[in-house]
Amino acid sequence: PSTIFDKVDCVIHAAGQSDIKHGTSNLSLDDYRRANRDMALSLAVLASTYGVSRFVYLSSIKVNGDQTRPGSKFKSDDSFTSIDPYATSKYEAEKGLLGLASKTRLEVVIVRPPLVYGPQVKGNFASLVKFVKMGAPLPFAAVEKTHVHNQDVDHENPQNGESSEEIELVNAVALLNRTVDHGGQVWRAR
């Protein structure tokens, strides 16, 4: 019988539930698990059953934690220590997918993007945009942040995601808010 996986070599799973308001949510750990772990694992099992050879899972940098020591960067082999329900569900999905890969012929690729922003962005980035639009003074220290535009998540060689100081990000947001039509281009802070 024909399936949605006919002639499919790779599934990219980017669906899931994230925090919706400034890093807080009324969702329980079980809600996050259903959306981020269980759905990903169910799709991966189906993909493997029907002969898909690669499964790419869009996880989150939150799996690495909320911060590093000054001068340090996150590494893929950092220990998981978060108590955040969103991060926990993403981490559990990663572990489940790797377990599935060890028992099947399915290759699992895990991507942990940093903050993803774009039209209708929510959370802390939306607050930043709001304050920039108001012209409010923003007393940021020179803290390095990493960010990537939502269009670049789809590309093999993202143009954003480079480390930049927070003040440069604020300048880029201000520039975009002064631009009526940026022609669909992706602007990045430098």
Side-chain angles (χ1 to χ4, degrees), residues 8-38:
V8 173
D9 297 320
C10 178
V11 170
I12 300 173
H13 181 64
Q17 178 65 57
S18 64
D19 294 341
I20 29 185
K21 284 190 175 183
H22 309 290
T24 62
S25 173
N26 293 328
L27 298 175
S28 69
L29 176 57
D30 286 338
D31 293 330
Y32 282 110
R33 282 179 168 150
R34 274 190 295 280
N36 296 329
R37 181 194 65 191
D38 300 347

Side-chain angles (χ1 to χ4, degrees), residues 4-103:
I4 61 169
F5 297 108
D6 287 350
K7 300 180 184 176
V8 173
D9 297 320
C10 178
V11 170
I12 300 173
H13 181 64
Q17 178 65 57
S18 64
D19 294 341
I20 29 185
K21 284 190 175 183
H22 309 290
T24 62
S25 173
N26 293 328
L27 298 175
S28 69
L29 176 57
D30 286 338
D31 293 330
Y32 282 110
R33 282 179 168 150
R34 274 190 295 280
N36 296 329
R37 181 194 65 191
D38 300 347
M39 298 298 264
L41 293 174
S42 294
L43 181 59
V45 166
L46 282 171
S48 176
T49 300
Y50 288 99
V52 173
S53 58
R54 178 179 288 167
F55 188 90
V56 178
Y57 179 63
L58 197 64
S59 185
S60 171
I61 196 67
K62 291 271 290 183
V63 167
N64 288 87
D66 292 321
Q67 62 185 359
T68 62
R69 287 189 210 112
S72 298
K73 297 196 184 294
F74 288 125
K75 298 183 301 249
S76 62
D77 61 349
D78 286 343
S79 298
F80 179 76
T81 59
S82 180
I83 58 170
D84 178 81
Y86 168 74
T88 299
S89 68
K90 288 292 198 171
Y91 177 74
E92 290 174 353
E94 289 182 12
K95 292 300 163 202
L97 290 167
L98 293 173
L100 177 65
S102 72
K103 298 181 223 165

Side-chain angles (χ1 to χ4, degrees), residues 12 44 55 69 110 149 181 187 189:
I12 300 173
F55 188 90
R69 287 189 210 112
I110 296 169
H149 190 274
D181 179 12
W187 297 70

Side-chain angles (χ1 to χ4, degrees), residues 140-159:
F140 290 111
V143 176
E144 284 198 8
K145 297 284 184 181
T146 306
H147 48 278
V148 62
H149 190 274
N150 64 349
Q151 291 175 347
D152 288 331
V153 172
D154 299 332
H155 299 323
E156 191 171 322
N157 298 307
Q159 298 301 306

